[in-house]
Amino acid sequence: MIRSGHAGVENAPFAVLREIGQMQVLWSLSHEASAAGLVQGQPLRDAMAICPSLITRLRSVHAESAFLTTLRRWAGKFTPWVGEVPPDGLVLDITGCAHLFGGEEAMLAQIMTEGSDLGLTVEAGLADTVGAAWALARFAGREEAGLRSGDDIDQEARATRSRAARRRHWERGGAAPQSRVPAGSAPRIAPPGQMHQALAPLPVAALRIDNDTAAQLVRLGLKCIGDLSGMPRAALARRFGRDLVRRLDQAFGQDPEPVSPARPPEHFAARMTLPEPIGLDSDILAGLDRLLPALSTRLKAKGRGARRVRLECFRVDQGRETIEVGLARPSHDPDRIKPLLALKLGDIDAGFGIDVLRISAPVTEAVQDQQMRGHLDATKAARAKAHAGQGVDDLIGRMGTRVGMERITRIHPADSHIPEKTTRLMAAAWSQPWREAWPDPERPRPLMMWRPERVHAPDRPRPPPQFRWRGRTLDVASYRGPERLAPEWWLDEPDWRSGVRDYWHVICENGDALWLFYAHGGALSSGWFCHGSFA
């Protein structure tokens, strides 16, 4: 949150809040907030009573996830095998990498130092397994919050020992109180093969188990991992569940827990440095003739097609001009991408010249290469089917380059008895054309429809001989109907608050063929309305 640019936050007590039910608690604290006596998990009302000058912001899960991904990329400088442990952790497999930084201790010190330079509080641990490293990072070498059961007489003050039995609210479903007890001076780095000695003095909460299980273990006197390591696994599983046994085996390496690094994003780009600055459109197109085949090769190798293509022109005066185009269908064909870029070359200001061209595909989608098999006729049919809509797609791409892809739409049929809902308006670039037969309505529908407009006529269910609409008085020559339509009862639509409708096909003396309906009344009063025209 400090990096978001909030003025006055850098030197003031600051905390990020997390909502738990109807209560807001402190999720993370700055050094100034910790120095003021605030702790993580403390209710906001108590924190404000202790530190009235506390500045708070609500937690943003998406921002934290994006920042953790950024830290994962930063940690790639130490090892290529980096995984995320949401919400606030990273796991690094440094096998074969520690000697590059002067050993494990030097590498760990560098990670913590550089993390501190970024304004982060880094807690790191190093061990043979993921579970052991997690435990050392969070519980070794510092005081930890130990669970109090109240069964130990040493935990009670002298004046209240006699009333300890009456104050065990946690035995009736409440949360057990916590106290600050030292966890020992366990090292942050467990030597190879000595995980038992490093983990033994740590509290059972270091096994990544839930708080209820940890509280039950403490009540039974099993406070440290060393108290559990020698116990039969079957008995522990029956009493506390299989998760405790699994976490215990993972910490000691008996149950493998491999590091799963996040897959790096794929980048598709090509760059060309020019020996002399250029400025003509023909020179830029000549550069595209060299860049597009290289981009196409990379896309084709990964089975991807470009949905958006960006051309960046770097000028000699350190300026940069950028144009971006979209394609109606993902493609890696240079002949389909180049005409779209050519339409936007007029937006580029070359200035004193362009010396670097870079083309990239920031948005891609999977495409499938088709293999032609069978006899000659089958091959021709498959090729014709594959390229049937290519011309339309190219037209949509060229039009979208000029007016915007979102403005080009197509209509698909929809399953609804409401006249204005029988079609769906969809973006042409992100939808397929409707290739089946268009469903026929049960009754004829008008060529044009609009929102219902009030018709001045007598309030009777049968069509009147004369009515007034849009400032004109029209005489009725003939009519056909009615067709009764009821509103969708599960929706509250303003246009249908007039209740059930009876639709009539009305032909006037002047030749107008209108689609009128009589609304029987509901939340709004009854009356006549015009909904469309047949000609």
Side-chain angles (χ1 to χ4, degrees):
M1 296 296 295
I2 293 178
R3 293 179 179 85
S4 300
H6 298 287
V9 173
E10 292 80 359
N11 299 321
F14 178 79
V16 177
L17 302 179
R18 176 188 179 187
E19 293 184 351
I20 301 179
Q22 301 296 326
M23 181 174 59
Q24 292 181 340
V25 300
L26 305 186
W27 171 249
S28 61
L29 309 171
S30 64
H31 292 292
E32 292 77 11
S34 299
L38 306 181
V39 295
Q40 185 180 13
Q42 188 175 25
L44 176 61
R45 58 178 181 272
D46 298 341
M48 295 301 296
I50 298 174
C51 182
S53 60
L54 178 66
I55 300 176
T56 61
R57 297 290 185 273
L58 284 177
R59 179 191 180 195
S60 175
V61 178
H62 298 289
E64 289 181 3
S65 178
F67 183 63
L68 187 62
T69 301
T70 303
L71 289 180
R72 173 180 56 80
R73 293 198 298 266
W74 164 79
K77 65 187 294 184
F78 301 102
T79 173
W81 215 252
V82 184
E84 297 181 12
V85 184
D88 58 355
L90 297 175
V91 56
L92 286 70
D93 188 347
I94 63 171
T95 303
C97 300
H99 70 280
L100 301 174
F101 299 88
E104 294 178 348
E105 295 185 1
M107 183 179 186
L108 195 63
Q110 182 176 348
I111 292 175
M112 299 182 68
T113 301
E114 294 190 9
S116 179
D117 294 340
L118 295 175
L120 304 174
T121 301
V122 181
E123 301 289 346
L126 198 154
D128 294 343
T129 64
V130 174
W134 189 93
L136 293 174
R138 287 167 171 80
F139 292 88
R142 61 187 178 94
E143 292 185 352
E144 290 301 326
L147 290 171
R148 296 182 59 174
S149 66
D151 296 330
D152 189 355
I153 195 65
D154 295 333
Q155 295 178 358
E156 298 296 330
R158 290 185 177 182
T160 60
R161 287 177 183 173
S162 60
R163 290 178 287 177
R166 293 197 299 267
R167 295 191 298 108
R168 294 173 181 173
H169 64 279
W170 47 87
E171 295 180 355
R172 300 191 297 270
Q178 296 185 353
S179 64
R180 305 290 293 185
V181 297
S185 57
R188 290 295 183 92
I189 300 179
Q194 299 184 21
M195 286 185 298
H196 286 267
Q197 293 85 338
L199 297 180
L202 300 184
V204 292
L207 291 175
R208 297 178 292 175
I209 57 178
D210 58 88
N211 294 333
D212 294 337
T213 303
Q216 293 178 19
L217 291 170
V218 171
R219 293 192 190 104
L220 296 177
L222 303 174
K223 303 177 182 179
C224 300
I225 297 178
D227 300 334
L228 295 175
S229 59
M231 298 188 64
R233 298 292 192 266
L236 290 176
R238 286 194 302 268
R239 180 67 176 83
F240 302 102
R242 298 180 60 184
D243 185 65
L244 173 61
V245 177
R246 180 174 63 89
R247 290 301 192 185
L248 194 61
D249 291 340
Q250 286 177 346
F252 290 119
Q254 299 171 1
D255 187 1
E257 187 180 6
V259 177
S260 300
R263 185 176 180 180
E266 296 179 339
H267 298 282
F268 301 96
R271 179 189 181 100
M272 183 173 61
T273 303
L274 304 172
E276 294 290 340
I278 62 174
L280 299 178
D281 291 350
S282 57
D283 296 335
I284 298 177
L285 290 175
L288 289 177
D289 291 336
R290 294 191 176 186
L291 290 175
L292 285 174
L295 178 65
S296 175
T297 301
R298 296 174 185 177
L299 290 170
K300 190 181 300 183
K302 296 294 184 178
R304 310 289 294 183
R307 258 312 187 118
R308 299 200 66 83
V309 178
R310 181 182 301 147
L311 175 62
E312 297 173 278
C313 301
F314 297 87
R315 303 189 312 197
V316 295
D317 58 355
Q318 307 303 317
R320 180 172 63 177
E321 295 290 324
T322 303
I323 60 174
E324 189 169 330
V325 298
L327 285 81
R329 291 290 176 272
S331 174
H332 48 64
D333 186 2
D335 294 334
R336 300 184 62 184
I337 300 175
K338 181 181 177 181
L340 302 180
L341 292 172
L343 292 175
K344 282 202 166 185
L345 290 183
D347 298 339
I348 296 178
D349 180 12
F352 293 101
I354 298 171
D355 57 357
V356 177
L357 294 177
R358 184 179 184 270
I359 190 169
S360 60
V363 181
T364 63
E365 292 181 8
V367 294
Q368 297 179 353
D369 291 332
Q370 298 183 358
Q371 182 179 2
M372 305 305 177
R373 296 180 298 177
H375 54 80
L376 183 60
D377 294 338
T379 302
K380 291 181 179 180
R383 185 179 292 109
K385 182 179 180 180
H387 298 282
Q390 193 176 70
V392 177
D393 294 340
D394 292 341
L395 176 62
I396 294 174
R398 290 193 296 269
M399 295 174 61
T401 301
R402 292 186 178 275
V403 301
M405 284 291 186
E406 67 281 356
R407 298 188 179 183
I408 305 175
T409 59
R410 59 164 53 101
I411 296 177
H412 279 205
D415 186 12
S416 178
H417 70 281
I418 304 298
E420 55 266 31
K421 293 185 178 182
T422 55
T423 59
R424 291 182 299 167
L425 198 64
M426 307 181 69
W430 288 274
S431 62
Q432 296 288 341
W434 183 262
R435 302 187 184 279
E436 302 178 10
W438 197 270
D440 294 328
E442 296 181 0
R443 300 285 185 91
R445 291 290 184 259
L447 297 178
M448 296 183 295
M449 281 197 301
W450 46 77
R451 292 192 64 179
E453 299 177 359
R454 172 69 70 170
V455 172
H456 299 279
D459 191 1
R460 295 193 299 267
R462 303 290 296 182
Q466 189 180 76
F467 61 90
R468 187 170 180 82
W469 172 65
R470 290 186 177 178
R472 298 184 299 165
T473 301
L474 302 176
D475 297 323
V476 176
S478 62
Y479 55 83
R480 183 170 65 251
E483 177 187 1
R484 175 160 292 186
L485 295 179
E488 297 173 332
W489 56 267
W490 59 92
L491 296 177
D492 182 19
E493 299 187 25
D495 290 343
W496 281 83
R497 291 178 180 174
S498 56
V500 179
R501 300 175 178 179
D502 286 341
Y503 279 89
W504 299 82
H505 183 187
V506 178
I507 300 178
C508 302
E509 294 286 353
N510 63 349
D512 291 341
L514 303 177
W515 205 35
L516 306 183
F517 70 83
Y518 177 78
H520 289 266
L524 300 179
S525 59
S526 59
W528 283 93
F529 297 85
C530 182
H531 201 179
S533 174
F534 287 90

